[in-house]
Amino acid sequence: MNDTTSAYDGGCTCRFVRYRMTSKPLFVHCCHCRWCQRETGASFALNALIEADRVHLLEGEVEVVATPSNSGKGQRISRCPRCRIAVWSNYAGAGDAVRFVRVGTLDEPDRFPPDIHIYTASKQPWVIIPPGVPAMAEYYKASEHWPRESLERRATLLTKAQRQP
Ligand SMILES: [Zn+2]
Ligand SMILES: [Zn+2]
């Protein structure tokens, strides 16, 4: 992996929306749930979890679309208002502070392979998970899988959230 660039740019297909992640993500989910399969029209979703304030819009704007989610609490998917490509989502659980950036919208998506596979109970059977990557039938505890640096970043987020009225 080439680590010489510390910014990670991406965008939609029509190039109206361009964004930059200013650091590496906290963690990368490969989600095999049926909901993600429907949303992508494929076999799984690949999401880079990152603090919202580390994702900057360089060009354009996003349209937020309320979308049902597996939890029942819904997710808010940010899409290009022109070509409708989804660039990131916010889930109720993590709130607005954490964005789930669609790895496939990054200019160099190969840089972020999954750190974990989740909801493998509904994994399509032809998808073979490489050995050595954690795979969970459903969800997992961040405290058991995230690297220490990411847990520290998460703790900072939680502290900030508590300070807000
Ligand atoms: Zn677009
Ligand atoms: Zn999913």
Side-chain angles (χ1 to χ4, degrees):
M1 190 158 36
N2 176 5
D3 278 338
T4 52
T5 312
S6 58
Y8 309 92
D9 291 1
C12 66
T13 296
C14 79
R15 298 186 74 82
F16 175 69
V17 172
R18 295 290 299 163
Y19 69 84
R20 172 169 295 166
M21 299 196 315
T22 58
S23 78
K24 287 186 179 178
L26 296 157
F27 212 57
V28 178
H29 284 176
C30 185
C31 184
H32 299 264
C33 83
R34 294 293 186 207
W35 295 72
C36 287
Q37 291 176 11
R38 239 188 338 263
E39 274 170 36
T40 57
S43 309
F44 49 77
L46 195 56
N47 289 312
L49 281 62
I50 186 167
E51 296 93 326
D53 61 9
R54 295 187 185 207
V55 184
H56 298 163
L57 263 179
L58 301 173
E59 291 175 39
E61 58 194 60
V62 293
E63 182 179 18
V64 177
V65 181
T67 309
S69 72
N70 196 12
S71 73
K73 293 177 193 156
Q75 63 169 317
R76 302 205 334 278
I77 301 184
S78 293
R79 295 180 176 275
C80 169
R82 297 186 181 172
C83 71
R84 307 287 170 182
I85 297 290
V87 285
W88 60 74
S89 328
N90 293 87
Y91 286 92
D96 290 336
V98 177
R99 286 185 183 161
F100 286 57
V101 173
R102 307 267 169 124
V103 172
T105 66
L106 288 163
D107 296 341
E108 298 179 67
D110 300 357
R111 296 174 87 173
F112 298 113
D115 292 313
I116 197 166
H117 292 263
I118 58 174
Y119 292 101
T120 59
S122 50
K123 177 179 77 62
Q124 293 179 8
W126 59 268
V127 176
I128 310 299
I129 294 175
V133 183
M136 317 302 290
E138 293 188 345
Y139 210 65
Y140 70 100
K141 282 201 177 85
S143 58
E144 291 170 6
H145 290 277
W146 286 20
R148 184 192 299 175
E149 191 201 335
S150 296
L151 288 171
E152 284 167 2
R153 281 164 61 182
R154 186 178 73 150
T156 306
L157 270 185
L158 293 173
T159 311
K160 270 191 210 162
Q162 282 163 0
R163 269 197 236 116
Q164 281 163 8

